[in-house]
Amino acid sequence: MLLRLYSALWPLLTPLIKRYLKKRARQAPAYLAHWDERFGRSLPQPRGQQIWLHAVSVGETRAALPLVKALRARYPQASLLITQMTPTGRAIAQELYPDAQVHYLPYDNLRWMRRFVAAAQPACLLLMETEIWPAMIHACRDAGVPVLLVNARLSEKSAAGYRRITRLVRPALQRLNAVAAQSPADAARLAALGTPAPQVCGSTKYDFTPPADKLAQGEAFRAAIGQRPVWVCASTRDGEEALILDAWRAAGPQPALLVLVPRHPERFAEVAQLAADRGFAVQRRSDQRPVAAETQVWVGDSMGELFAYYAAADVAFVGGSLLDFGAQNLIEPASVGVPVLLGPSTYNFAEASALALQAGAAQQVADAPQLVASALQLLADTAARQRMREAGLAFTRAHQGASERIATLVAAVLDGG
C-alpha cells in the first residue's frame, strides 16, 4: 500500500519536476535532452545477457569502471546498460563505456519502472553506492531480476534521512539479493536500516587506474604553465571558491598559479567572474591558450580532465570539504602522488579520509585561511611534498581489490560462481 502511494505521487509531482529541469536547463541546456527517458516514455533495448548498472552521476560512473572491467572478464559476451540521473553523468558514461546503452533512469514510479525493466530484460541490476529507489527494486524483484547494492556507502547524515522513511525503505532493502559495503561503518548503518547481511568489500575507487592520456595531458598543462608552483582546487562547490579566493588574496601576491576546477559545469563562467571581480588576472582552460606569466587564476572549465589537472599539480585541495558537502573523491589525487588538502567536511569519504590522514597522504584544515596557509607551506617544502607523494601512492595501493571481490559476489548471485 505504501509503495503504491509513493508511486502515485510521482505523476502528481511531474509538473514540478519539469519546471525544475527547465530551470536547470537555463544554465545547463543538456537537462532538456532525452526528456522522454526521464518519464518512462523512451525505453532501452534488450541485448542478450545484459548487466544493468545504475550510477547516478559522474563520481559513481567513474567508480564503476574497474568493476565493469572485472565483470567483463567473467562475462565477455554480456552487454552493459548504464543509467544516470544527470547530464554530466550521462556524458561521462558515453565516454567511458562507448559500447554500452546509456539511458536516463525514469523517476521512481512503479508503473514506469516495470515498463523499463520489461523492455531492458536485464540479467541483474547493480546499484552503485547509495541508490535506493524502492519502486525500481520492487519492479526488478517482481520480474525475477536480482538486485545488488555495490560499492555501497551510507553516511550517518544519509542514514538519518532514511530512518525518517523506514517503512518505505526497509522493504526495498530487504529485497536486495546482496550488498557490498565499502567499510564496516557503512555495513553497520545499512544493517540497522534492514539490509540483510551486507558484506564489506572496500571501494572500487581505489582500483581506478589514472588514464595515460590524461596524465600526458597533465604534463602538457604543466609545460604550458611553466616553472611556477601549481595549486589545484578541484571539484569545488558553490560558496567554496569565494572563500578560497578571498583567503588567497589576503595572503598577498604569490608566485604560484591557483587552478580552480568547479564541480558543476554550469558554474564555470560564474567562478571565472568571481576571480576577476577580486582583481585577479584570470584565464580559462577553454581559451585554448598557454597560461600567461601574469595569469594568477586559471579556471579549469572542461569536463573529463580532472586527472590532467591533478597530474599538473604540486598540491591539491579536494572540494566539497570546505563547506558542508561531505567532500569529493580524495583517492584520485592521492593515486597520482599529489599531496591532498581537505576541509572539515568529509562524511561522504569518512573512511578514506581517515585512512589518508593516518597514512600521511593528506592534511586537514579548519577553514579557508588555514587552507591557504597549508597550501603555501607545502608549495615551499619539496621534502614534505615528496613524503606525502610516496604516502599517497602507498595508501591507494594498500586498499585495492574491491572490484574483484564485488565481481565474485555478483557471480555468486548470477550463476552460483
Side-chain angles (χ1 to χ4, degrees), residues 3 52 108 110 113 117 125 127 131-143 145-149 169 171-177:
L3 178 64
W52 175 14
D108 202 37
L110 187 58
M113 285 298 179
V117 173
L125 167 60
L127 303 173
E131 286 299 287
I132 304 169
W133 293 102
M136 176 168 59
I137 293 171
H138 281 270
C140 282
R141 290 303 304 273
D142 289 347
V145 176
V147 183
L148 298 87
L149 182 63
V169 170
L173 290 173
Q174 290 175 337
R175 300 195 89 184
L176 295 171
N177 293 81

Side-chain angles (χ1 to χ4, degrees), residues 2-300:
L2 189 59
L3 178 64
R4 287 197 292 271
L5 179 61
Y6 163 79
S7 293
L9 288 175
W10 285 102
L12 298 176
L13 292 172
T14 296
L16 295 177
I17 294 169
K18 290 180 177 179
R19 189 180 306 168
Y20 164 79
L21 294 173
K22 290 175 181 177
K23 182 178 179 182
R24 293 297 302 269
R26 293 172 193 165
Q27 291 185 304
Y31 272 93
L32 294 181
H34 310 285
W35 185 268
D36 284 349
E37 293 180 7
R38 295 184 180 274
F39 302 99
R41 293 192 293 267
S42 178
L43 300 170
Q45 301 296 315
R47 291 186 179 176
Q49 185 185 33
Q50 182 158 241
I51 295 174
W52 175 14
L53 187 145
H54 178 60
V56 63
S57 192
V58 173
E60 296 86 354
T61 303
R62 293 175 66 87
L65 191 62
L67 173 57
V68 169
K69 181 179 179 181
L71 289 170
R72 281 176 166 164
R74 291 173 182 259
Y75 302 100
Q77 302 305 315
S79 61
L80 177 66
L81 166 64
I82 182 164
T83 52
Q84 325 285 145
M85 296 295 288
T86 69
T88 50
R90 185 188 182 104
I92 291 295
Q94 289 171 327
E95 175 187 336
L96 296 179
Y97 312 97
D99 60 340
Q101 285 196 85
V102 178
H103 209 282
Y104 280 132
L105 184 74
Y107 291 105
D108 202 37
N109 173 282
L110 187 58
R111 180 170 58 87
W112 297 346
M113 285 298 179
R114 282 174 172 163
R115 290 178 58 204
F116 189 94
V117 173
Q121 299 177 27
C124 65
L125 167 60
L126 308 181
L127 303 173
M128 287 293 292
E129 299 202 4
T130 321
E131 286 299 287
I132 304 169
W133 293 102
M136 176 168 59
I137 293 171
H138 281 270
C140 282
R141 290 303 304 273
D142 289 347
V145 176
V147 183
L148 298 87
L149 182 63
V150 300
N151 212 44
R153 63 180 175 88
L154 187 68
S155 68
E156 181 52 44
K157 183 176 181 179
S158 295
Y162 281 123
R163 281 195 290 270
R164 289 194 286 269
I165 52 171
T166 301
R167 290 179 59 197
L168 179 64
V169 170
R170 186 181 293 271
L173 290 173
Q174 290 175 337
R175 300 195 89 184
L176 295 171
N177 293 81
V179 174
Q182 291 189 21
S183 73
D186 293 314
R189 284 190 281 266
L190 286 161
L193 284 176
T195 305
Q199 301 182 38
V200 178
C201 293
S203 172
T204 63
K205 289 182 170 70
Y206 291 104
D207 298 332
F208 189 86
T209 302
D213 62 328
K214 302 306 179 188
L215 299 183
Q217 187 177 33
E219 293 179 4
F221 283 170
R222 194 60 194 243
I225 291 167
Q227 298 301 312
R228 285 187 287 171
V230 177
W231 181 32
V232 170
C233 296
S235 298
T236 52
R237 304 288 294 272
D238 190 7
E240 292 185 323
E241 299 94 355
L243 294 173
I244 293 167
L245 288 165
D246 287 343
W248 190 244
R249 184 175 57 178
Q254 300 296 330
L257 177 69
L258 170 60
V259 182
L260 290 175
V261 188
R263 173 72 173 170
H264 298 117
E266 60 266 29
R267 299 190 58 249
F268 289 160
E270 172 193 343
V271 171
Q273 191 61 51
L274 285 173
D277 288 346
R278 284 159 174 77
F280 290 108
V282 182
Q283 274 187 249
R284 295 172 64 166
R285 160 76 175 107
S286 58
D287 294 342
Q288 300 291 336
R289 293 185 290 109
V291 180
E294 62 271 17
T295 295
Q296 298 166 295
V297 177
W298 193 39
V299 178

